[in-house]
Amino acid sequence: MAKILSLICADHAPFLDEACLRAAGAPLGRDDFCVLAPRLAVEWSIRPTDGAPGAVLGALRAHFAGKPVDVNLIEADQREKKLLVADMDSTMIEQECIDELAAYAGKGSEIAAITDQAMRGNLDFDEALRARVAMLAGLPLTAIEETIRNRLSYMPGGKTLITTMRRRGHYCALVSGGFDVFTGPVANHLGFNSHFGNQLLVREGHLTGAVQSPILGRPAKKMTLLRLAKELNITPTQALALGDGANDLDMIAAAGFGVAFHAKPRTAEAAALRLDHASLTGVLFLQGIAKDDHHETG
């Protein structure tokens, strides 16, 4: 099966000029690279005469070691995906929502430490979520409103990613192990088709410290991807999953393109594709969508 070798820089450091690319391709004897965005994103089609694809990938990663560029080997077949399933916290937004709520409860460092361990896969996700939510008991709903208004920021490139995929006729779902009080506003702002998250239980305008069962965690994220693919009458190979934490690993493994985005080590090591430096527009470049075809508004 044909494969593509992809190079995508961090937005702030586009350095892939012609001289750099010729030097990178020299071991292959190749200079027929395709430019998706000048100095920012380029790719080669791998030929049988280039050697084992894995060895080519390793050579290019070694060549660019220490530089802000993501090097990935991509299956060329069905490269542009019809379904995007994305995590929210530390993926589509720059924060972990529960950690931001914890600051209002005066338990920021305590809850953030549990979040970090859960996202690294060192704690059971469901148990860690229940433990953190319990610490928020008594927090007024106004804290959620203030968090959305004052403490959340969006990951660079997210609006372009979702708008472009929607404009090209694809379905985008936000699937979070966080809470639907956040996935709703985030999905609406970025333009997702749908969103899914856990429900915080409320009594008299305050959090009870409990979360509705069953919890949407690692297995449920995968099942949501599979269900959406079935509803869209496509196969999971035509889906793209995007996330950063251990609870994203099952859906990343189930998708045709599983992308670890600025991910925790365990997730980055397990995913077939990884973006450690690029913005979310890198997800478009992985699909072969050139910058001239990106859209920022619907």
Side-chain angles (χ1 to χ4, degrees):
M1 186 177 294
K3 296 183 183 293
I4 304 292
L5 190 65
S6 164
L7 307 178
I8 307 170
C9 289
D11 287 4
H12 68 273
F15 66 91
L16 297 174
D17 58 20
E18 187 168 338
C20 171
L21 292 168
R22 290 186 186 281
L28 305 177
R30 301 280 300 278
D31 60 6
D32 55 336
F33 43 83
C34 172
V35 178
L36 298 179
R39 300 176 61 89
L40 183 66
V42 301
E43 60 187 40
W44 283 274
S45 294
I46 299 298
R47 299 171 180 168
T49 54
D50 292 330
V56 175
L57 175 66
L60 264 292
R61 283 183 170 169
H63 179 85
F64 287 109
K67 293 187 166 93
V69 60
D70 296 308
V71 184
N72 285 286
L73 191 65
I74 301 164
E75 298 286 352
D77 186 49
Q78 295 184 325
R79 183 178 176 188
E80 185 171 339
K81 302 306 181 185
K82 298 180 180 297
L83 169 63
L84 168 67
V85 178
D87 175 46
M88 179 179 67
D89 296 299
S90 299
T91 301
M92 299 308 301
I93 61 173
E94 296 182 306
Q95 295 79 23
E96 295 283 336
C97 288
I98 195 167
D99 294 354
E100 300 304 316
L101 283 180
Y104 284 99
K107 298 182 179 179
S109 59
E110 185 177 357
I111 287 180
I114 298 174
T115 300
D116 181 66
Q117 290 300 305
M119 291 303 99
R120 292 178 182 274
N122 297 331
L123 296 174
D124 178 81
F125 179 82
D126 290 14
E127 292 180 6
L129 184 67
R130 289 193 175 95
R132 286 175 290 164
V133 171
M135 296 182 202
L136 301 178
L139 198 67
L141 290 180
T142 54
I144 294 174
E145 298 165 2
E146 291 176 15
T147 297
I148 293 170
R149 184 167 56 249
N150 300 321
R151 302 179 71 96
L152 298 190
S153 57
Y154 292 89
M155 198 68 73
K159 184 74 170 176
T160 300
L161 168 62
I162 301 306
T163 302
T164 301
M165 292 201 70
R166 292 285 306 274
R167 285 277 294 268
R168 296 172 77 90
H170 308 320
Y171 191 95
C172 299
L174 187 65
V175 181
S176 175
F179 311 113
D180 59 3
V181 291
F182 293 107
T183 60
V186 170
N188 182 64
H189 176 81
L190 293 174
F192 280 88
N193 294 88
S194 60
H195 68 94
F196 307 89
N198 290 300
Q199 183 180 352
L200 291 167
L201 299 184
V202 177
R203 183 184 299 118
E204 297 179 354
H206 293 75
L207 301 184
T208 67
V211 60
Q212 180 70 50
S213 295
I215 285 177
L216 196 163
R218 179 169 170 171
K221 284 190 169 189
K222 173 184 174 180
M223 293 308 299
T224 301
L225 183 148
L226 297 177
R227 176 177 58 79
L228 289 172
K230 185 175 181 180
E231 290 175 1
L232 294 169
N233 197 30
I234 63 173
T235 66
T237 59
Q238 295 171 286
L240 188 157
L242 177 67
D244 73 297
N247 65 324
D248 300 312
L249 280 170
D250 288 358
M251 73 172 186
I252 284 174
F257 273 10
V259 182
F261 181 77
H262 296 199
K264 308 300 184 294
R266 185 176 299 183
T267 308
E269 291 166 8
L273 303 173
R274 59 190 290 179
L275 294 175
D276 296 325
H277 306 286
S279 72
L280 285 168
T281 57
V283 179
L284 295 172
F285 293 134
L286 287 176
Q287 296 177 84
I289 302 172
K291 185 174 178 59
D292 287 347
D293 295 320
H294 293 186
H295 301 278
E296 295 184 3
T297 58

